[in-house]
Amino acid sequence: MVSIKDVAALAGVSDRTVSRVVNGEGLIRPKTKKKVQKAIETLGYVPNQAARLMRTSRSSVLGLITDVVSTTPFSTDIVRGIQDALDDTPYTLLTVNTSADPAKEQRAWKIFREHGIGGVFYVTMFHRHVPRDTEFPSTPTVLVNCSAPDQALPSIVPDDYQGGLDAVRHLVEQGHRKIAYVVLNELILAADLRGRAFFDGLAAAGIEVRKEWIVPGRVGAIFADKLVAFENARRILDNPDRPTAVVCGNDEIALQVYCAATDLGLRVPDDVSIIGFDDFQVITTGIQPPLTTMALPYRDMGALAVRMLLDIIAGHPPKKKHVEYRCELVIRNSVSPPK
Amino acid sequence: MVSIKDVAALAGVSDRTVSRVVNGEGLIRPKTKKKVQKAIETLGYVPNQAARLMRTSRSSVLGLITDVVSTTPFSTDIVRGIQDALDDTPYTLLTVNTSADPAKEQRAWKIFREHGIGGVFYVTMFHRHVPRDTEFPSTPTVLVNCSAPDQALPSIVPDDYQGGLDAVRHLVEQGHRKIAYVVLNELILAADLRGRAFFDGLAAAGIEVRKEWIVPGRVGAIFADKLVAFENARRILDNPDRPTAVVCGNDEIALQVYCAATDLGLRVPDDVSIIGFDDFQVITTGIQPPLTTMALPYRDMGALAVRMLLDIIAGHPPKKKHVEYRCELVIRNSVSPPK
DNA sequence: CTGAAAGCGCTAACAC
DNA sequence: GTGTTAGCGCTTTCAG
């Protein structure tokens, strides 16, 4: 390994001076600087982060804890947002997947301590509350897509309620009054928020809720649940008195509702309008007609998480500890006025 | 930071002894060991990896370079395979995304050198050859989903040819002789391999190729290409003399072919059989009927990559430098004999 | 503006 | 079985 000393020897200066050049510290005569830079180049020197960390105990590495997010297709955009934002910084990511297993999560935190990590992004696949008994070490941490009890830790989540409300409003504005809802796994916080928005949205429009048109799209324990949207949607739609529009818990469910409609010979959006949630592109731009959906602001959430964490590390805790990020409607072709 | 010395002081032994206990080295009297372990516990000591690395220059961190794989939904299972296999080892992953940008790739390698990383997984989203001029440092490296010129580096790829062949065979066995092919972006190696298999598979069955039934599903530069499978598939299928089965370049394309079929009022699989490629679950188990597809062995490839890299680091270079991993057909309900 | 000395936490090498 | 000494590459502190 070529060290700062080798560079110093070649440049004919002391090692301290090389260190100054590398870190852009203090005032250095341009000539000296050039000499050093040349030596660095010819030797192919790169600083040793381990040594630097040992001396300064300021790490250039941040930790990324995910339950399953980075190995699951849905919320990868959060990670992408974090990664992209980190590109403009000197930080790198040490990533650990826990599969939502508390033991692995413990290990993750231990690994982070061993590496003297500067801060941690704690990202979950589903918008949810973190269990009360979860222990967070004192390392600067930002929660993404989840929040801590009493908001003890800074957190960034999507505004699922607003998103749900705007989705319903969009349908109402198009003239729909017969609206069904195929629900996300009800154990998920997002389902709760979007569900309340659905009821409130209908109420605000003076539309009565048809209970038989509210059906589950996914049932069972989280991470082990089953898609049942197809059968349930098919049952609702296979009836002369059927909804003219369906709100879907997410795009995956929307795909099944879409299949149920076409299976019955119904056309989207002429016979049924469908609106999704997430803007999971493989589905939304993959099916025909492309799906109108409520986009989750994952990339922006990731980018904000980076800004927040770096601020905290720099000693500037955010004024707003809990941020709810707005969801934007993406209008494509799966919604039209009812006939 | 609590160090080995603090532990030593509390346990009333020398720091070297603590080190031995921590690393399970040499013979130590059970009593001493217990004392040390207790001190470790009460102080909450964790070893400082930076210090360890400095001393031994053996890192507990491996690097993961991806083009877009970990921020894109398709090949995340490779990363999942790697992560899961790493769970049983003392290694952690430092991840860098390059967006297939050579400048970022350079930076990634520099970062890895700075951290004295032990080895690198170089993972690409599409099965492809790495450009001739790509520079790989001397760090132990395993390529996954891609291969180097002259196989200069160990690599693990899926056997797309075998997969393509088996897909066609499956259709032929079901009695199909009128088979169309909606092609993956032809710039991708996988498209080439699967395409050759398609031709060879038909030839082996004595079926003549209908050129007009071979159409692109994606066109344009990689990472900026456009899905055109829907229109193209629709054109082929909207004809009394139409194929009874369609081989799809991947599952995304299969989804579009499926939409094209239902758009024309055709039923899958009664009127058209569809076979996909990848086993991208959101699609394959999301649509109705669930999609028969050729699964890409991503998780296994990831797991094998871990074994290979650890072997190389341990000084046991693999006998087989280039591994082609078998693709397995996953039979669901989108294929049936032609009417 | 530049250099010298010290020490971060750990383990290799050697002693006892 | 256990302890001592030294040094990995860097930056902090202090001197010049």
Side-chain angles (χ1 to χ4, degrees):
Chain A
M1 242 232 125
V2 26
S3 89
I4 213 169
K5 276 190 187 152
D6 304 316
V7 177
L10 181 59
V13 297
S14 82
D15 48 0
R16 187 62 249 265
T17 301
V18 176
S19 173
R20 284 204 180 88
V21 172
V22 170
N23 294 292
E25 287 170 35
L27 298 188
I28 291 172
R29 243 190 314 152
K31 254 192 193 162
T32 320
K33 194 169 171 182
K34 217 162 262 172
K35 264 194 306 187
V36 171
Q37 282 170 334
K38 183 144 182 225
I40 288 177
E41 188 107 354
T42 55
L43 293 176
Y45 165 83
V46 292
N48 180 326
Q49 296 290 350
R52 193 176 266 177
L53 170 58
M54 245 179 102
R55 195 64 253 253
T56 64
S57 47
R58 267 176 279 114
S59 173
S60 64
V61 177
L62 301 177
L64 174 67
I65 284 197
T66 63
D67 44 5
V68 292
V69 71
S70 71
T71 52
T72 238
F74 292 103
S75 336
T76 48
D77 269 356
I78 299 178
V79 179
R80 177 182 220 135
I82 292 175
Q83 293 252 23
D84 286 355
L86 244 29
D87 264 357
D88 308 322
T89 77
Y91 287 100
T92 320
L93 273 189
L94 199 65
T95 61
V96 181
N97 251 266
T98 65
S99 310
D101 169 356
K104 284 196 189 170
E105 193 167 318
Q106 285 300 109
R107 250 193 74 193
W109 286 106
K110 187 177 174 221
I111 289 171
F112 289 167
R113 276 187 65 206
E114 292 186 358
H115 285 94
I117 255 171
V120 173
F121 301 101
Y122 185 98
V123 181
T124 57
M125 174 176 169
F126 298 114
H127 180 183
R128 59 180 171 91
H129 292 304
V130 155
R132 276 224 160 256
D133 55 353
T134 310
E135 279 186 53
F136 290 102
S138 59
T139 320
T141 301
V142 172
L143 309 185
V144 190
N145 216 20
C146 55
S147 54
D150 317 320
Q151 304 186 355
L153 250 36
S155 47
I156 303 169
V157 299
D159 192 342
D160 282 297
Y161 181 81
Q162 164 264 320
L165 209 54
D166 285 356
V168 176
R169 273 193 195 137
H170 179 64
L171 294 177
V172 171
E173 276 167 15
Q174 298 288 311
H176 290 278
R177 300 189 64 83
K178 300 171 72 174
I179 304 176
Y181 182 29
V182 185
V183 187
L184 205 52
N185 189 319
E186 57 177 7
L187 299 174
I188 298 170
L189 176 59
D192 185 40
L193 263 17
R194 295 174 197 176
R196 292 216 310 261
F198 179 77
F199 287 108
D200 293 354
L202 287 193
I207 300 173
E208 221 164 304
V209 173
R210 298 266 298 255
K211 271 198 198 143
E212 70 275 24
W213 286 353
I214 299 178
V215 293
R218 263 188 175 282
V219 290
I222 297 183
F223 297 126
D225 51 355
K226 239 185 74 188
L227 260 173
V228 293
F230 178 79
E231 301 88 51
N232 285 334
R234 200 179 182 290
R235 191 164 32 75
I236 296 179
L237 292 173
D238 192 13
N239 193 318
D241 177 28
R242 56 175 165 73
T244 60
V246 183
V247 176
C248 301
N250 67 10
D251 292 333
E252 198 184 22
I253 289 171
L255 174 60
Q256 292 233 315
V257 174
Y258 170 91
C259 288
T262 60
D263 189 56
L264 291 166
L266 299 174
R267 304 193 69 91
V268 179
D270 301 341
D271 302 315
V272 218
S273 287
I274 297 180
I275 190 164
F277 218 112
D278 280 10
D279 198 15
F280 182 61
Q281 303 252 348
V282 173
I283 291 173
T284 55
T285 66
I287 65 173
Q288 287 291 335
L291 191 69
T292 292
T293 192
M294 185 56 63
L296 250 18
Y298 281 150
R299 300 219 27 191
D300 293 334
M301 285 166 57
L304 178 60
V306 169
R307 267 175 283 145
M308 259 179 145
L309 187 56
L310 295 192
D311 277 352
I312 295 170
I313 291 173
H316 310 302
K319 307 126 264 176
K320 255 188 111 171
K321 284 199 78 170
H322 181 70
V323 177
E324 291 191 338
Y325 226 105
R326 212 187 137 64
C327 302
E328 296 290 344
L329 183 67
V330 179
I331 297 181
R332 296 202 180 90
N333 308 314
S334 65
V335 173
S336 69
K339 276 188 315 205
Chain B
M1 241 233 125
V2 26
S3 89
I4 213 169
K5 276 188 185 155
D6 304 317
V7 177
L10 182 60
V13 297
S14 81
D15 47 2
R16 190 62 251 265
T17 300
V18 176
S19 172
R20 284 203 181 89
V21 172
V22 170
N23 295 291
E25 288 170 35
L27 297 189
I28 290 171
R29 241 189 315 149
K31 255 193 190 160
T32 319
K33 196 168 169 181
K34 218 163 260 173
K35 264 195 305 188
V36 171
Q37 283 170 335
K38 183 146 181 222
I40 287 176
E41 188 107 354
T42 55
L43 293 176
Y45 165 83
V46 292
N48 180 327
Q49 296 291 349
R52 193 175 266 177
L53 170 58
M54 250 179 100
R55 193 66 251 255
T56 64
S57 48
R58 266 176 280 114
S59 173
S60 64
V61 177
L62 300 176
L64 175 67
I65 285 197
T66 61
D67 44 6
V68 292
V69 71
S70 70
T71 52
T72 238
F74 292 103
S75 336
T76 47
D77 269 356
I78 300 179
V79 178
R80 178 183 218 133
I82 292 175
Q83 293 253 23
D84 287 354
L86 245 29
D87 264 358
D88 307 322
T89 76
Y91 287 100
T92 321
L93 273 189
L94 200 64
T95 60
V96 181
N97 250 266
T98 65
S99 310
D101 169 356
K104 284 197 189 167
E105 194 168 317
Q106 285 300 109
R107 250 193 73 193
W109 285 107
K110 188 178 172 221
I111 289 171
F112 288 168
R113 276 187 65 207
E114 292 186 358
H115 289 278
I117 255 172
V120 174
F121 301 101
Y122 185 98
V123 182
T124 57
M125 173 175 168
F126 298 114
H127 180 184
R128 59 178 171 93
H129 292 305
V130 155
R132 275 225 160 257
D133 56 354
T134 310
E135 280 186 52
F136 289 102
S138 59
T139 320
T141 302
V142 172
L143 308 186
V144 190
N145 216 20
C146 55
S147 54
D150 317 322
Q151 304 186 356
L153 250 37
S155 47
I156 303 169
V157 299
D159 192 344
D160 282 297
Y161 181 82
Q162 163 264 320
L165 209 54
D166 286 355
V168 175
R169 272 192 197 139
H170 180 62
L171 293 178
V172 171
E173 276 167 16
Q174 299 287 311
H176 291 278
R177 301 190 62 83
K178 300 172 73 174
I179 304 176
Y181 182 30
V182 185
V183 188
L184 204 53
N185 188 318
E186 57 178 7
L187 298 174
I188 297 170
L189 176 59
D192 185 40
L193 264 16
R194 294 175 197 177
R196 292 216 309 262
F198 179 77
F199 287 109
D200 293 353
L202 288 193
I207 300 172
E208 222 164 306
V209 173
R210 297 266 299 254
K211 269 197 199 144
E212 71 276 22
W213 286 353
I214 299 178
V215 292
R218 263 189 175 279
V219 289
I222 297 182
F223 298 126
D225 51 354
K226 239 184 73 188
L227 260 173
V228 294
F230 179 78
E231 302 89 50
N232 284 335
R234 200 179 183 290
R235 191 162 34 75
I236 295 178
L237 293 173
D238 192 13
N239 193 318
D241 177 29
R242 56 176 165 73
T244 59
V246 183
V247 176
C248 301
N250 67 9
D251 292 334
E252 198 184 22
I253 288 172
L255 174 59
Q256 292 233 315
V257 173
Y258 171 90
C259 288
T262 59
D263 189 57
L264 291 165
L266 300 173
R267 303 194 71 89
V268 179
D270 302 340
D271 300 316
V272 220
S273 288
I274 298 180
I275 190 163
F277 218 111
D278 281 9
D279 199 15
F280 183 60
Q281 304 252 347
V282 174
I283 290 174
T284 55
T285 66
I287 65 173
Q288 288 290 336
L291 190 68
T292 292
T293 192
M294 185 57 62
L296 251 20
Y298 282 150
R299 300 222 21 196
D300 293 334
M301 284 165 56
L304 178 59
V306 169
R307 266 176 283 145
M308 259 179 145
L309 187 56
L310 295 192
D311 278 350
I312 295 171
I313 291 172
H316 310 303
K319 308 126 263 177
K320 254 188 111 172
K321 283 199 79 171
H322 181 69
V323 177
E324 290 191 338
Y325 226 106
R326 211 187 140 64
C327 302
E328 296 289 346
L329 182 68
V330 180
I331 296 180
R332 296 201 179 90
N333 307 316
S334 66
V335 172
S336 70
K339 276 188 314 204

